[in-house]
């Protein structure tokens, strides 16, 4: 395909995606939620190519580098083939469509408290983006770290799937909204709370 037709096709797809976002409340709301959740800060490799949501960013931890995956709607290398149920299970339960358990570098223990609507609106926004073909890379982890097979044990011990309502200011809707954003969607504690030897929040 020549450069000019390819450019025209790309502009057409981007224009169509923008028009859809402008008319679909789930997509526009999902964009707001994805921004509040900081999805692009991990899923965009800003130090290299900077392709939005295409992965490749290396998240440095005491256990090695976790290479963040592509979450654009590409069907081969991203999440284009995922169902709503797949996305919910990944975000709130830490389980991939193939049944693998994610490492907790992906903050699903905090996302577990998100509402189904918020999760699916984020998916609607991601599905509206241009698909970028970028294969995911293997993590660069310390030799002693167990594989994904052991993550179900970590989840059973440390992932709080049922969250109590935040205590205090019960009648203040704004306060409750703030607590939800801090505890779950914004997952502030994932960076601002010390961790134990197992990588769980203290």
């Amino acid at each position: 395909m020549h450069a000019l037709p390819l450019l025209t096709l790309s502009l057409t797809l981007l224009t169509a995606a923008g028009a859809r976002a402008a008319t679909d409340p789930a997509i526009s709301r999902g964009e707001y939620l994805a921004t509040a959740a900081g999805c692009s800060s991990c899923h965009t490799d800003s130090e290299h190519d900077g392709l939005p949501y295409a992965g490749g960013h290396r998240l440095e931890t005491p256990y090695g580098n976790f290479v963040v995956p592509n979450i654009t709607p590409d069907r081969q290398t991203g999440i284009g083939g995922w169902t709503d149920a797949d996305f919910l299970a990944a975000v709130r339960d830490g389980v991939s469509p193939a049944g693998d358990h994610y490492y907790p570098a992906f903050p699903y223990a905090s996302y577990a408290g998100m509402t189904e609507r918020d999760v699916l609106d984020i998916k609607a926004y991601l599905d509206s983006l241009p698909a970028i073909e970028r294969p995911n890379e293997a993590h660069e982890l310390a030799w002693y770290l167990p594989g994904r097979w052991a993550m179900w044990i970590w989840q059973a011990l440390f992932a709080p799937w049922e969250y109590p309502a935040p205590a205090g200011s019960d009648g203040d809707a704004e306060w409750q909204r703030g607590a939800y954003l801090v505890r779950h969607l914004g997952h502030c504690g994932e960076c601002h709370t010390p961790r134990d030897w197992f990588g769980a929040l203290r």
Side-chain angles (χ1 to χ4, degrees), residues 94-111:
V95 179
S96 77
D100 297 321
H101 294 262
Y102 291 122
Y103 289 104
F106 177 41
Y108 50 80
S110 291
Y111 291 156

Side-chain angles (χ1 to χ4, degrees), residues 43-126:
H43 289 277
T44 301
D45 187 10
S46 57
E47 294 182 1
H48 296 93
D49 55 37
L51 296 174
Y53 297 100
H57 171 66
R58 280 165 170 73
L59 187 62
E60 298 180 3
T61 77
Y63 310 101
N65 297 331
F66 291 91
V67 186
V68 184
N70 181 350
I71 57 171
T72 73
D74 183 70
R75 296 188 66 84
Q76 299 302 317
T77 63
I79 63 171
W82 289 25
T83 65
D84 286 354
D86 290 337
F87 194 73
L88 282 165
V91 172
R92 299 200 303 184
D93 301 332
V95 179
S96 77
D100 297 321
H101 294 262
Y102 291 122
Y103 289 104
F106 177 41
Y108 50 80
S110 291
Y111 291 156
M114 287 177 61
T115 67
E116 180 174 315
R117 181 192 174 191
D118 281 358
V119 175
L120 294 183
D121 281 355
I122 289 175
K123 181 178 185 295
Y125 168 64
L126 295 175

Side-chain angles (χ1 to χ4, degrees), residues 138-170:
H139 298 313
E140 304 159 350
L141 304 180
W143 63 268
Y144 55 82
L145 197 69
R148 291 183 189 273
W149 62 269
M151 290 303 100
W152 70 270
I153 302 174
W154 189 96
Q155 292 178 358
L157 292 173
F158 303 116
W161 305 126
E162 296 294 333
Y163 278 89
S169 300
D170 293 335

